[in-house]
Amino acid sequence: MVTRRVNGFIAKVTDSMKYDDVKEELAQAYVDILKKSQLSQIYIDQDLSGIFLACPSEAYFSSSKKLMVIGQETRSWRNSTCAIKNYNDLGKGAILESMRVVNNFNRRKPGNSKFRQRYKEASIRICSDSPSPSEAAVWANQFCISYKGGSPINCKSFDLVKEMSYKLLRTQMSILKPDIALFFTGSGRDRFVKECFPSYETLKVFEPRRLWGFKVDETTCFRTNHPRWGQSSSYIDQAIEMAESHNNRLHSDRFSAASQFQTGA
């Protein structure tokens, strides 16, 4: 627990305060990005889904290891209920509602989704000291919109969708500052990873096309196959094991108010 002086009094900085502050910062960043993303042109095509906006749970801030798990795109996400898609509502309320829906969905059991099963496994193992380890990892996506229930790559507005998705994912990484990111996206998506993060640094190709380690700023990343692929299991196991044992900067509080305020000063 850290402290800071507020109006002459010493105040404790709690995980809840961090969560509220960071969620507000993330929501405002989403508003700014979406307002500049030509949504009216994107949504000429009604086969595109609603927009997936990643949101951390409070459990993220209680874990000593900050983990982000990135999938491809969530199929048919909120096709009929997304106010951003259906009403071009870019108000803060619509953004926060979209984030709330993601968090509520993330609390559910994974069901038959191979991605969600692996997300839960990684979150529980890597964020084991969080009070709610099964939802402590941030769930994010490479692309924020799906097309006809699948990849948006073949939609007419893909360039706009791609640029908007890149901005959202970069912002999520920048604001949430994960220690580790697991990309369950497959080697066929590596070109998009490299476009999104042009300053990436390869650490090691552990297995060509199957398991790649790299850095994005201070985040250590492992890209492996999507869990849907039948032979992905051993490579995902390796990625989770390496993330679980990784120690670079871990167990430090990157959201500590001490980075902005002198403790007790």
Side-chain angles (χ1 to χ4, degrees):
M1 182 71 66
V2 294
T3 61
R4 69 186 185 196
R5 185 174 295 275
V6 180
N7 295 329
F9 296 93
I10 299 297
K12 291 182 177 179
V13 179
T14 66
D15 290 334
S16 179
M17 290 169 65
K18 295 175 198 174
Y19 172 70
D20 291 340
D21 290 347
V22 173
K23 187 174 74 169
E24 178 65 24
E25 181 182 1
L26 193 60
Q28 186 57 56
Y30 287 161
V31 170
D32 295 341
I33 291 169
L34 295 178
K35 283 183 175 179
K36 299 175 182 177
S37 294
Q38 302 182 55
L39 288 173
S40 60
Q41 186 170 345
I42 289 173
Y43 280 121
I44 290 173
D45 191 340
Q46 286 298 300
D47 287 323
L48 292 167
S49 73
I51 296 177
F52 183 97
L53 296 177
C55 181
S57 68
E58 288 192 58
Y60 178 77
F61 300 94
S62 301
S63 176
S64 61
K65 293 184 180 182
K66 304 295 188 286
L67 172 65
M68 181 178 288
V69 180
I70 298 105
Q72 294 180 337
E73 61 279 322
T74 302
R75 297 177 173 187
S76 303
W77 179 253
R78 304 187 73 209
N79 281 350
S80 62
T81 59
C82 178
I84 302 168
K85 170 188 175 179
N86 295 304
Y87 306 108
N88 197 33
D89 185 349
L90 300 180
K92 182 71 72 68
I95 302 300
L96 288 170
E97 172 64 9
S98 292
M99 296 167 69
R100 184 191 66 79
V101 171
V102 170
N103 258 347
N104 286 347
F105 189 93
N106 201 30
R107 294 189 183 102
R108 300 180 187 177
K109 293 181 179 180
N112 295 324
S113 167
K114 298 296 185 184
F115 171 81
R116 296 282 299 143
Q117 290 168 10
R118 285 299 206 166
Y119 160 87
K120 291 289 187 182
E121 178 188 351
S123 188
I124 289 169
R125 288 176 57 179
I126 296 167
C127 308
S128 58
D129 63 350
S130 170
S132 301
S134 68
E135 61 188 71
V138 175
W139 168 27
N141 278 328
Q142 185 174 52
F143 296 131
C144 64
I145 292 176
S146 68
Y147 175 60
K148 294 183 177 180
S151 168
I153 291 173
N154 293 322
C155 72
K156 292 180 180 179
S157 57
F158 177 61
D159 286 343
L160 294 176
V161 171
K162 180 177 69 171
E163 185 58 32
M164 177 171 62
S165 297
Y166 285 177
K167 289 178 180 177
L168 291 172
L169 187 54
R170 289 178 194 134
T171 293
Q172 290 153 11
M173 293 277 277
S174 175
I175 291 176
L176 298 175
K177 300 176 172 62
D179 296 298
I180 303 165
L182 295 176
F183 285 76
F184 291 163
T185 49
S187 60
R189 303 284 190 101
D190 283 354
R191 67 188 187 278
F192 301 124
V193 175
K194 294 173 181 179
E195 282 180 5
C196 184
F197 302 106
S199 62
Y200 76 92
E201 174 191 354
T202 291
L203 299 174
K204 184 176 181 178
V205 177
F206 297 96
E207 187 72 32
R209 300 185 65 241
R210 305 303 178 210
L211 185 54
W212 167 39
F214 61 101
K215 293 270 284 188
V216 173
D217 298 324
E218 295 184 75
T219 301
T220 299
C221 306
F222 299 97
R223 194 281 300 147
T224 187
N225 301 104
H226 193 280
R228 274 198 311 270
W229 184 56
Q231 301 176 43
S232 65
S233 183
S234 64
Y235 304 111
I236 294 175
D237 288 344
Q238 290 179 58
I240 293 174
E241 287 168 7
M242 286 190 288
E244 195 175 12
S245 62
H246 184 67
N247 273 328
N248 181 22
R249 287 185 305 98
L250 301 183
H251 305 289
S252 63
D253 186 356
R254 299 178 67 189
F255 289 94
S256 170
S259 65
Q260 302 176 31
F261 303 91
Q262 292 184 349
T263 301

